[in-house]
Amino acid sequence: GNVVCIAFRENQAAYVAGYLAGLKTRSKITGIVAGFPFPSVQRLFNGFTVGVREACKECLVEGVFVHSFAKLDLGKKVAEHLVSDLGADVVFGCAGATGSAAIMKAAELGADVVGVDVDEYHTTFANEPVERKARVLTSVVKDLEVA
């Protein structure tokens, strides 16, 4: 058979996004809405956290594993808590559709956001007003076509 096994280092791209978040935050609080604590999602979570802390030693990274990739309302609620209650002004969503809903809510509330898996500027935020689209700092993607 023609079978190929590919292992990605999600932490590397997430580190760069976290570093950017650490440079961009004004409140010195960033947030993560992560899906299930699978190894790949843990690598995203940890890479982002390390990147934020490298760029901003005094920054806090508040994050939660929501144990879902498909509960949009849960993503929105967690994002609202991160932004409105904890003061996060950059939120990373790495929880599939749950994460996309989370970053959309965070952007609605005025936070900058980081997406995952696809360029969420052109997907999740495609039909949003330009001022909301401008909240997308970047997305952490694996270029599967190249792999």
Side-chain angles (χ1 to χ4, degrees):
N2 295 329
V3 177
V4 176
C5 180
I6 300 172
F8 292 97
R9 294 183 179 155
E10 295 88 351
N11 58 307
Q12 293 178 350
Y15 172 89
V16 175
Y19 195 91
L20 175 62
L23 294 175
K24 188 79 169 138
T25 181
R26 298 164 307 285
S27 69
K28 307 247 184 267
I29 302 168
T30 64
I32 304 172
V33 180
F36 291 94
F38 299 143
S40 60
V41 180
Q42 289 176 328
R43 287 190 293 272
L44 289 166
F45 192 106
N46 294 339
F48 185 85
T49 300
V50 171
V52 168
R53 297 289 306 181
E54 185 63 31
C56 177
K57 304 287 188 231
E58 64 277 8
C59 281
L60 295 175
V61 181
E62 300 286 348
V64 63
F65 287 96
V66 295
H67 296 269
S68 173
F69 292 127
K71 293 182 180 173
L72 280 57
D73 287 341
L74 178 59
K76 292 174 187 177
K77 286 178 185 172
V78 172
E80 187 163 10
H81 174 66
L82 289 169
V83 176
S84 299
D85 299 334
L86 301 182
D89 63 355
V90 181
V91 176
F92 177 35
C94 54
T98 303
S100 295
I103 64 171
M104 179 63 75
K105 183 63 175 181
E108 288 173 11
L109 295 170
D112 291 321
V113 299
V114 175
V116 77
D117 293 333
V118 295
D119 184 346
E120 297 212 51
Y121 181 89
H122 293 293
T123 56
T124 304
F125 286 78
N127 298 314
E128 294 300 311
V130 68
E131 59 274 3
R132 190 165 303 140
K133 286 178 85 163
R135 293 286 179 188
V136 180
L137 297 178
T138 191
S139 293
V140 176
V141 298
K142 298 175 257 195
D143 197 346
L144 296 174
E145 290 79 25
V146 173

